[in-house]
Amino acid sequence: MERLAAKLSPSKGVKNISRRLTWAFDKSDVNRAFTSIERVKTLVNIALNNDLYTISTMMAKELSGLNDGVASLQNDQQLGHRRNLESWLSKIDFNARQQEILRARTPGTGEWLLESPLFQLWVGSEGCKRMWCPGIPGGGKTVMSSMIVDHLTSKFKSSARIAVTCLFCNYKEQSEQTAEAFLANLIKQLIQVKPPPDELWKLYERKPPSSPSWFDLCRVLQAQLPLFDHVYVIIDALDETEEESSIRQTLLPFLMQDGLPIKLLVTSRDERSIESIFEPFVDSLDTDSEVQPPSLDASLACIDSHEEKVKCTARLRIKASDADLCSYITSRINSASLLARHVKKEPSLGEEIVEKVIQGAKDMYVDSLITVFRCGNSLKACLSVHLAHP
């Protein structure tokens, strides 16, 4: 380009007049000039394109980061809306309560229940939708309920169309524990598995704000249930509700309706008023033992042979088995440093403690029977006296 500029610049002096009056370039000069110009143009275009690519790349990265930020804000906003919705439905966190109860379980205890044919029938059979597990006070029903929830949650963790829910009754909270409150909490647990249905959002967003009625909640649940193949509902300590409570009179009959994909398990004391709730559901399988009842095979054959499967109710008594009590007492011995030292010195003492406490326990996990662990040097005498006067 400098060479072109030099040839085109005006010449000075008399001798250069002819040069100024003639064209500065011949044909070869013109061709070379065009070639040089094209090369420079190409280089300029390449440089500009590179700059544009760099700018475009930087802009794409900025936009991508902006999109990610917007998506994150939207997710946070949706999560916030979901949490507000859950809190509006129910402030009780039964899942947290279940985990707290589960921590009190001695490892290895209660396995007999999970392995029992009746429990497995309830879990896996389309024909057995309800199970009642009565037991004496102190028999470990609440811990067993928590164990069942944990077992089912683990068993079906990869099944998107199966939900496991839990409701814990408490006599201290009777005024708060109503059919509406429990059904709302059940829905709350289900929307933690599947997105809330439109019916629920409409109730939440209606003006003026108001708590959902029983009929509102029933409609929401009926909109949710088709999303699931099975919904396991474990209700613990039903005996801690009043006989005329809405939980017994309204919620349970609703959950036990035929046609719903609900598998219901209820624990309670063995009370006639509770037994009568399950009586309308005939073809019950009943056992008070830990082994398969003689009629179970026949009942299963009956269920399988019907065109419309029988909706039976299983009954399985919960109690502290000798093996469970042995594990529990041994664990308590090991956790009591003073007693553990005594037993380490004299192993037969530990065996005697286990044997005598089991004899006096009468199928119960009762801490009062374990107070012998604090008796120090007079342990054997205290053990005998304590078990003689339970």
Side-chain angles (χ1 to χ4, degrees):
M1 296 298 292
E2 290 176 355
R3 287 197 304 272
L4 292 175
K7 283 197 171 191
L8 291 171
S9 61
S11 301
K12 297 179 180 180
V14 176
K15 293 181 178 180
N16 292 318
I17 293 175
S18 60
R19 184 180 174 186
R20 293 200 300 270
L21 295 175
T22 59
W23 178 240
F25 301 104
D26 59 21
K27 185 175 181 180
S28 62
D29 289 334
V30 170
N31 289 335
R32 282 196 299 271
F34 275 120
T35 301
S36 297
I37 292 170
E38 287 295 326
R39 186 165 55 249
V40 170
K41 185 175 73 171
T42 300
L43 292 174
V44 170
N45 285 334
I46 290 172
L48 289 174
N49 287 335
N50 284 339
D51 287 344
L52 288 173
Y53 174 77
T54 301
I55 293 170
S56 299
T57 302
M58 292 175 62
M59 289 179 64
K61 288 182 179 179
E62 291 294 330
L63 289 173
S64 176
L66 183 61
N67 289 337
D68 290 343
V70 171
S72 178
L73 287 173
Q74 289 176 337
N75 289 337
D76 290 344
Q77 188 177 36
Q78 290 173 358
L79 183 59
H81 286 325
R82 178 77 66 88
R83 287 176 176 169
N84 290 338
L85 176 63
E86 292 176 7
S87 179
W88 173 73
L89 278 169
S90 176
K91 291 182 168 48
I92 302 173
D93 190 348
F94 281 125
N95 289 319
R97 187 173 299 184
Q98 180 266 332
Q99 287 296 312
E100 181 182 357
I101 295 167
L102 187 65
R103 286 192 287 271
R105 179 194 174 211
T106 300
T109 57
E111 296 293 335
W112 65 266
L113 188 150
L114 302 179
E115 295 168 358
S116 76
L118 276 181
F119 178 78
Q120 294 179 15
L121 173 69
W122 172 75
V123 172
S125 170
E126 292 295 333
C128 186
K129 297 186 63 179
R130 311 166 197 90
M131 174 171 276
W132 177 39
C133 295
I136 59 176
K141 299 184 295 298
T142 297
V143 174
M144 291 284 198
S145 295
S146 178
M147 177 194 70
I148 290 169
V149 174
D150 184 67
H151 169 76
L152 294 175
T153 301
S154 176
K155 180 180 178 69
F156 297 116
K157 63 182 177 182
S158 60
S159 302
R161 290 185 60 84
I162 293 179
V164 180
T165 63
C166 55
L167 304 167
F168 291 89
C169 303
N170 189 327
Y171 74 93
K172 295 179 181 178
E173 302 170 358
Q174 288 186 18
S175 61
E176 304 168 19
Q177 296 190 337
T178 63
E180 290 84 0
F182 268 29
L183 187 57
N185 195 279
L186 177 60
I187 293 170
K188 172 184 175 179
Q189 294 181 58
L190 291 180
I191 65 173
Q192 292 170 346
V193 180
K194 295 282 189 181
D198 291 340
E199 290 83 350
L200 183 56
W201 284 116
K202 290 175 183 177
L203 290 175
Y204 175 64
E205 294 169 352
R206 66 186 174 185
K207 303 296 182 182
S210 60
S211 298
S213 69
W214 168 258
F215 296 105
D216 290 335
L217 294 169
C218 288
R219 285 195 296 270
V220 170
L221 184 65
Q222 288 169 342
Q224 282 182 297
L225 290 179
L227 302 175
F228 299 94
D229 293 330
H230 294 300
V231 174
Y232 290 88
V233 180
I234 289 81
I235 300 180
D236 178 66
L238 185 62
D239 56 280
E240 297 197 23
T241 64
E242 294 289 344
E243 187 172 337
E244 299 301 321
S245 70
S246 60
I247 291 177
R248 295 197 197 188
Q249 301 298 321
T250 305
L251 179 66
L252 278 181
F254 174 75
L255 296 178
M256 290 195 289
Q257 293 179 89
D258 289 337
L260 300 181
I262 290 176
K263 292 267 194 173
L264 177 67
L265 186 148
V266 176
T267 70
S268 71
R269 296 185 183 184
D270 194 352
E271 296 180 356
R272 175 63 190 140
S273 60
I274 294 177
E275 183 179 20
S276 65
I277 296 173
F278 295 93
E279 282 184 343
F281 302 94
V282 294
D283 299 310
S284 296
L285 302 179
D286 192 354
T287 181
D288 286 335
S289 67
E290 299 171 15
V291 298
Q292 181 170 322
S295 62
L296 182 57
D297 288 335
S299 299
L300 284 172
C302 177
I303 290 172
D304 291 336
S305 66
H306 278 104
E307 292 183 3
E308 293 185 4
K309 294 185 176 181
V310 177
K311 301 299 183 285
C312 68
T313 300
R315 168 176 166 165
L316 183 62
R317 183 175 296 278
I318 289 180
K319 62 180 182 179
S321 67
D322 287 354
D324 286 354
L325 283 170
C326 182
S327 298
Y328 176 65
I329 298 164
T330 302
S331 174
R332 292 297 301 271
I333 289 174
N334 293 334
S335 65
S337 56
L338 178 60
L339 181 58
R341 289 198 297 270
H342 281 285
V343 172
K344 187 175 182 180
K345 293 177 183 177
E346 191 176 350
S348 61
L349 177 60
E351 296 173 3
E352 184 178 355
I353 292 172
V354 171
E355 180 183 352
K356 291 194 174 182
V357 172
I358 288 177
Q359 289 174 1
K362 295 182 171 62
D363 303 331
M364 293 187 294
Y365 296 95
V366 182
D367 282 342
S368 62
L369 291 172
I370 315 301
T371 55
V372 295
F373 292 174
R374 305 190 186 97
C375 294
N377 295 330
S378 59
L379 185 59
K380 287 188 177 181
C382 187
L383 176 64
S384 300
V385 171
H386 184 85
L387 292 178
H389 301 85

